[in-house]
Amino acid sequence: MTNERSANAPPADGATFVAWVRPHLAAMARVAARLAVGADRDDIVQESLTRAWMKRDQYDASRGTASSWLLAITADQARKAARRLRPVAELDDHDAPVARQDVEARVDVDQALTTLSTRQRLAVDCYYFADLSITDTAAVMGCSEGTVKSTLSDARARLRSLLEVSE
């Protein structure tokens, strides 16, 4: 048995590590923004990269892709950042934004997403917003692929009932 690093393991030197994580940065930023609304997503990504660098020897390619490993770290950091957020004072009436129809539709979806359970929201964020596969979403969530499929199905049913338009 040798001490050589696996070809799939994160590189030991900084420059190569940067190249290894670069393809995943956009997905990491999307997950951070979705899971920690109001927090600085760039700070979350930076904390995630720092954690990944420090724990790079723990990465095991046989347990999932680099993307799922990095996104699991990002999801964890985003949850920590969301817990640290303090409630913001309410805006006065004169500070209220003017409603726009295109924004109202998005607000409805965002509001409906907040009613999902934490597990459902994570599945939706990973699969739909971070564009992960079912396999990678399962790795991020720490569950089976069947559980991800079931969780997404339940989330879609919940969202469908909340966003149903009746005329």
Side-chain angles (χ1 to χ4, degrees):
M1 182 178 249
T2 65
N3 285 337
E4 292 180 21
R5 294 179 67 84
S6 164
N8 293 326
D13 67 281
T16 316
F17 182 80
V18 169
W20 188 75
V21 299
R22 182 169 283 130
H24 312 290
L25 289 175
M28 292 172 73
R30 286 192 303 269
V31 166
R34 297 289 311 161
L35 295 181
V37 176
D40 186 340
R41 74 171 184 168
D42 293 336
D43 284 348
I44 294 168
V45 171
Q46 182 176 352
E47 289 295 323
S48 302
L49 292 171
T50 301
R51 170 83 68 188
W53 171 258
M54 293 182 339
K55 295 185 175 242
R56 67 191 179 279
D57 290 334
Q58 295 178 11
Y59 172 71
D60 181 1
S62 68
R63 294 181 60 204
T65 64
S67 178
S68 63
W69 185 70
L70 290 166
L71 289 170
I73 292 171
T74 303
D76 183 55
Q77 293 299 314
R79 283 190 291 270
K80 288 177 183 176
R83 282 194 300 265
R84 288 190 299 262
L85 288 176
R86 292 189 177 133
V88 179
E90 292 293 319
L91 295 174
D92 292 334
D93 288 338
H94 69 279
D95 290 335
V98 177
R100 291 184 14 208
Q101 201 169 24
D102 59 326
V103 174
E104 287 176 6
R106 181 169 175 236
V107 169
D108 289 344
V109 172
D110 285 343
Q111 190 172 27
L113 287 169
T114 64
T115 67
L116 298 177
S117 70
T118 304
R119 187 171 194 81
Q120 288 174 335
R121 177 111 190 240
L122 179 59
V124 167
D125 286 339
C126 287
Y127 187 72
Y128 291 107
F129 294 102
D131 201 27
L132 294 182
S133 67
I134 293 290
T135 303
D136 287 345
T137 300
V140 169
M141 294 177 64
C143 63
S144 71
E145 292 179 26
T147 301
V148 171
K149 291 176 184 177
S150 174
T151 302
L152 286 171
S153 177
D154 293 345
R156 284 189 300 266
R158 173 89 174 128
L159 291 171
R160 192 176 301 116
S161 69
L162 290 171
L163 296 171
E164 204 168 49
V165 177
S166 58
E167 292 184 34

